[in-house]
Amino acid sequence: MELYSCVWISSHIRNWWSSHIDMATSKITFIKDIDPVNSDFTIKVKVLKLWTLNSKFNENEKYSIEMILLDEQGSLIQANVFQNLFYKFEKSLREGSVYEFTTLSVAKHNPHPKSTIFSDLPNKITFIRETELKESLNFPKNVFGLSFVDFQKINSKVIPTQRSVDVIGVVVSRTTIIPSQKKDKQRIHLELKNLDGVLLKVTLWGHFANKVSDYLDTHNTDDCVVIIVQFAKINDYRGNIGVASYYDVTTVFINTDIDEIKQFREKLAKDNESSQLSGTISLIRTKHVSLNDDFLKNNEVKTIYKSKEPVQVEEFIIVGTIIGIRQDKPWCYQSCPDCHVKAVEIPDCNEDVKLYKCTNVECNKSTKVPIPRYMIPVCVQDDSASTILTMFDREAYGLLGISARDLAEKHTRLGFSLGIYPPELNFLKNKHLAFKVSVTKYNVKFQNSVYTISRVTEEKQIIESLERKLLQLQPATLESLNDGPSDSNSQEKILTKDWVSHSDENVTPSTGNILTPTSFENVKSTSMNLTRKFEEVYDVEQYSNSSSTKAPRLSTGTGEGIKLLIPKVEK
C-alpha cells in the first residue's frame, strides 16, 4: 500500500511539473511580438552581450547594466538594469546564459546621439522591481542574431554611423599588428571582399586584433579566410569609410563552423571565386613606425635650448617634464565632423542654433554639431630650458584617457564654459615624457617656436636611453657660462616672437613672450645694465654724514640709512 501511494504521488508530481512547464512554455512571448502596453509577459532569451555603463558625474560609479538579448527566432533587443536594482540582478546575470524573464517594462529606445544602436526595434526592455528571472538550459546553438549589411551601403554612407552592423567577407589584405603602449589600443587593418566583389575596410582593436593576426599567421594561407564581425561600428574618418570593432561588444568569427560561414563558402564555390581568392591575402604596407625606431633610431635627440630656433622643417626628439599649461590659450578647438579640421562659427547666421563652417577648402562643409578636439599648450622643461609645445587630440587622449568631446560635455554640463580649463588636464602636470616634435613651414616662415607634438611616450626604457644619449652630447651641446664671452655687448639679442598655440597657418598670431624665467634664452636676451654710480656702492669717506662737501644722505623711511660699503684704505 505504501509503495502504491509513493508511486501515485511521484506520478502526480511528474504530471503536475510537466503541465506546469507546458503552461510556462505556452506563455513565452517572442521579442518581435512584445506589446509595449502590457508588461505582464515572459520572454526566453540568451544574454548575448553584457556590459556596464559608468555615471557621467562619477566615473568610478556604475550607472546601469546594459544587455543585448537574443531569442530563439534570432531577434535582438536592448535591455538595461538601473543602479537601484543592482542588488537584485547584478550577481544573477551572466553573458552567454539563457533566462526566462517575467514582468518587464518596455521603454522607447531613444539613445544619446553618441550611443550605438544594436537593435532595429524602436523599444527596449527595462528591468523593474517586480521583474523575475529563471535560468534555462534549452536554447538553439546555431542562433546568433546575425543580420548582414551590404558593403556598398556602408561605403556609400547610406547607413547612419550610429547603427552597428554585421559584416561577412573574405580577407584579401591585412597589415601586421600596429603596436601601442596600451594593449587595447593596438590594432590591425583588414580588407574584406563580399560575394559581389565589393571591398570594405575593417579595423580591429585590442584582443580582436591579436586573435585575427594569430590565426592568419598560423593557419594555411592556401585556404580563403572568411570573417564575420558582429556589432561593428561604422567609422567615418576624414571621408574614409570602414567599420571597426566596438569595445568588447563586438564578436569576431574566423572560419568558424557555423551556418552563415558555411553558406558563404558554398556561394563562393558556385561562383568559382574560391580559386581566385585562395592564398591572395596581401600585406598592406603601413606608414607606422615602432616606438623604438621613432624615438631611438630615426630622429635626432636635442635639448630644448638647442631646438629653440626654427631653422628648417624637421622632426626631432626632446625629453622633458610638463610643468604647466598655458591657460591664456584655448585647450580645445571645434572641428569638422568629416575631416577633423578646425571649424569656425558663421557670424550673423539666421539659424536658431550656431552654425560652423570647416576651414578646409577641400571640405568646406557646414555643421551645427562641431566636435571638440584637444589643442593643449603645455610647458615642457628640461635641464637646459623650457618651451611651449602644442599637444593635439591623439596624444592628449592617449595620456588623459578621455576624449575632448566627452570632457567638453562633462565640463559644460557642470555649468562651466570651454574658456575655463577642466581640472582633469592637471593630470598632465609633472609627467616626464619623450616628445617627438615637428617643426613646420609655418614655424620657419614666422620664426615661431611653438612646435607641435606629433608623438609622445612615457615608456621608461626609451626615456632612459634618450637621457643617456643627452649626457653624451652635453659637453658639445651646452655652452659653459664660465667660459662664455665676457663682453656684455657680445650677448646675442633674441627678439620676442609672436606665437600661437598651434601651427595652423590660418591662425592669426597673438603677441606674447613665451620664454620663461628658467630658460637660457631669457638669460641671454635679458638686457643687463651693470653700470652703477661709484658713490652708490662705495663711500670714500668713512662717515658720509660728517662730510663737509656732501649733503647728508636721507633715510630710507625705515629709520636706517642706506648701508654702503667702506673700502679699505691703503697705508
Side-chain angles (χ1 to χ4, degrees):
M1 181 67 180
E2 292 180 1
L3 178 62
Y4 176 79
S5 299
C6 291
V7 171
W8 183 86
I9 292 171
S10 176
S11 176
H12 179 73
I13 292 173
R14 186 168 60 251
N15 291 335
W16 175 86
W17 180 253
S18 177
S19 64
H20 179 75
I21 294 296
D22 291 338
M23 182 179 66
T25 304
S26 64
K27 287 186 177 182
I28 295 296
T29 301
F30 291 113
I31 288 176
K32 66 178 183 179
D33 299 325
I34 291 176
D35 183 3
V37 179
N38 180 21
S39 63
D40 187 16
F41 61 89
T42 300
I43 58 173
K44 182 179 179 181
V45 292
K46 180 178 183 179
V47 179
L48 196 60
K49 289 291 176 181
L50 182 148
W51 67 97
T52 58
L53 287 181
N54 292 334
S55 170
K56 293 181 179 179
F57 304 101
N58 184 355
E59 296 178 356
N60 298 320
E61 180 182 352
K62 293 180 181 178
Y63 173 74
S64 66
I65 300 171
E66 300 293 320
M67 293 173 284
I68 303 175
L69 306 180
L70 168 72
D71 70 8
E72 294 178 346
Q73 292 185 334
S75 299
L76 299 171
I77 191 168
Q78 291 182 236
N80 57 16
V81 179
F82 289 114
Q83 185 187 50
N84 63 318
L85 294 178
F86 280 5
Y87 75 94
K88 184 174 182 180
F89 299 107
E90 186 175 19
K91 293 182 179 179
S92 302
L93 294 170
R94 297 184 304 276
E95 184 174 293
S97 295
V98 179
Y99 302 91
E100 289 183 15
F101 297 121
T102 304
T103 312
L104 298 156
S105 178
V106 181
K108 182 180 179 182
H109 191 203
N110 187 23
H112 189 275
K114 284 178 55 183
S115 301
T116 302
I117 302 172
F118 301 101
S119 170
D120 292 326
L121 298 179
N123 300 317
K124 67 176 182 178
I125 287 175
T126 300
F127 282 50
I128 56 178
R129 200 174 301 277
E130 293 76 21
T131 298
E132 297 294 335
L133 64 83
K134 181 178 69 174
E135 195 163 356
S136 178
L137 299 176
N138 299 321
F139 198 86
K141 293 183 179 180
N142 60 344
V143 177
F144 300 97
L146 293 164
S147 178
F148 299 117
V149 175
D150 185 73
F151 289 3
Q152 191 60 47
K153 289 185 178 180
I154 298 174
N155 291 333
S156 58
K157 303 184 182 182
V158 174
I159 301 175
T161 55
Q162 193 179 10
R163 178 74 172 85
S164 74
V165 293
D166 303 338
V167 296
I168 182 172
V170 179
V171 180
V172 294
S173 60
R174 58 165 290 195
T175 65
T176 56
I177 284 280
I178 300 174
S180 174
Q181 292 176 259
K182 298 181 179 179
K183 290 184 178 180
D184 60 338
K185 298 300 180 184
Q186 58 189 4
R187 64 192 186 277
I188 188 172
H189 298 294
L190 308 172
E191 274 190 326
L192 300 185
K193 181 183 285 189
N194 66 6
L195 294 172
D196 298 324
V198 181
L199 296 175
L200 179 69
K201 296 177 180 178
V202 178
T203 302
L204 300 177
W205 296 86
H207 63 91
F208 296 117
N210 287 325
K211 178 181 179 180
V212 172
S213 179
D214 291 344
Y215 185 93
L216 295 176
D217 290 340
T218 57
H219 284 70
N220 185 6
T221 56
D222 292 337
D223 187 19
C224 59
V225 178
V226 179
I227 286 183
I228 294 174
V229 184
Q230 185 181 25
F231 304 130
K233 174 77 173 175
I234 297 177
N235 185 24
D236 184 357
Y237 181 73
R238 298 189 177 184
N240 296 317
I241 296 293
V243 300
S245 56
Y246 185 71
Y247 300 104
D248 286 334
V249 180
T250 295
T251 301
V252 177
F253 303 86
I254 312 171
N255 275 354
T256 314
D257 189 20
I258 62 175
D259 293 340
E260 288 80 2
I261 289 183
K262 289 179 181 178
Q263 293 168 7
F264 189 90
R265 284 181 171 277
E266 289 173 0
K267 291 179 180 178
L268 279 178
K270 288 180 181 179
D271 296 338
N272 295 320
E273 287 287 334
S274 58
S275 60
Q276 296 178 20
L277 292 170
S278 177
T280 59
I281 300 178
S282 59
L283 185 64
I284 303 173
R285 297 187 178 275
T286 65
K287 296 180 180 179
H288 177 81
V289 181
S290 69
L291 279 174
N292 278 347
D293 288 347
D294 218 7
F295 283 87
L296 301 178
K297 295 180 181 179
N298 297 349
N299 295 288
E300 180 186 3
V301 59
K302 295 184 178 183
T303 63
I304 291 176
Y305 172 63
K306 278 295 183 180
S307 65
K308 276 290 190 179
E309 295 299 321
V311 179
Q312 62 182 358
V313 175
E314 61 176 334
E315 290 182 324
F316 53 83
I317 307 297
I318 63 172
V319 179
T321 302
I322 297 177
I323 60 172
I325 302 172
R326 287 290 299 261
Q327 297 194 19
D328 57 341
K329 296 296 174 184
W331 63 274
C332 69
Y333 69 98
Q334 301 292 352
S335 73
C336 172
D338 291 330
C339 68
H340 300 183
V341 175
K342 184 178 180 181
V344 295
E345 184 180 347
I346 300 176
D348 302 326
C349 183
N350 295 326
E351 299 285 340
D352 294 334
V353 296
K354 293 180 180 180
L355 195 63
Y356 292 80
K357 187 175 183 179
C358 179
T359 56
N360 181 4
V361 293
E362 296 179 0
C363 177
N364 204 32
K365 292 182 180 179
S366 298
T367 179
K368 294 180 181 179
V369 189
I371 299 176
R373 296 189 181 278
Y374 286 117
M375 186 184 67
I376 309 172
V378 295
C379 184
V380 179
Q381 186 182 64
D382 68 2
D383 293 338
S384 68
S386 60
T387 190
I388 301 296
L389 301 175
T390 304
M391 183 178 292
F392 283 101
D393 209 56
R394 183 181 60 186
E395 288 69 35
Y397 176 75
L399 293 172
L400 295 171
I402 182 173
S403 68
R405 184 176 185 175
D406 290 344
L407 185 55
E409 285 188 4
K410 178 181 177 181
H411 203 52
T412 53
R413 191 167 56 245
L414 294 174
F416 299 105
S417 71
L418 294 183
I420 299 175
Y421 265 60
E424 287 82 353
L425 297 185
N426 289 327
F427 180 75
L428 296 174
K429 291 182 179 179
N430 300 318
K431 275 193 169 295
H432 190 60
L433 306 166
F435 304 87
K436 180 182 176 182
V437 175
S438 296
V439 180
T440 65
K441 292 181 180 178
Y442 176 85
N443 297 122
V444 176
K445 181 179 179 180
F446 294 97
Q447 284 296 287
N448 184 289
S449 60
V450 183
Y451 307 137
T452 297
I453 300 170
S454 59
R455 201 172 185 182
V456 66
T457 181
E458 50 187 341
E459 194 167 308
K460 188 176 180 180
Q461 291 181 344
I462 291 179
I463 293 174
E464 289 176 350
S465 297
L466 291 169
E467 287 176 335
R468 284 195 294 269
K469 284 187 177 181
L470 286 171
L471 285 176
Q472 295 172 0
L473 296 173
Q474 190 169 2
T477 303
L478 297 179
E479 293 180 359
S480 170
L481 293 179
N482 295 328
D483 296 336
S486 58
D487 185 4
S488 61
N489 294 327
S490 67
Q491 296 288 336
E492 180 185 357
K493 294 182 179 180
I494 298 180
L495 299 178
T496 301
K497 303 176 182 62
D498 291 345
W499 75 282
V500 290
S501 58
H502 58 87
S503 54
D504 187 342
E505 296 189 13
N506 295 324
V507 179
T508 304
S510 59
T511 302
N513 188 354
I514 67 169
L515 302 179
T516 65
T518 58
S519 68
F520 283 5
E521 281 84 345
N522 262 356
V523 176
K524 292 176 66 177
S525 61
T526 302
S527 177
M528 300 177 63
N529 184 7
L530 301 179
T531 305
R532 298 180 64 182
K533 293 182 179 180
F534 184 79
E535 57 265 29
E536 291 178 357
V537 181
Y538 297 103
D539 195 346
V540 293
E541 298 182 39
Q542 294 186 9
Y543 302 99
S544 60
N545 288 337
S546 63
S547 171
S548 60
T549 59
K550 295 195 305 187
R553 294 188 181 272
L554 299 178
S555 170
T556 60
T558 61
E560 298 180 1
I562 300 176
K563 296 181 179 180
L564 301 178
L565 301 177
I566 302 174
K568 294 182 179 180
V569 181
E570 293 185 2
K571 296 182 180 180

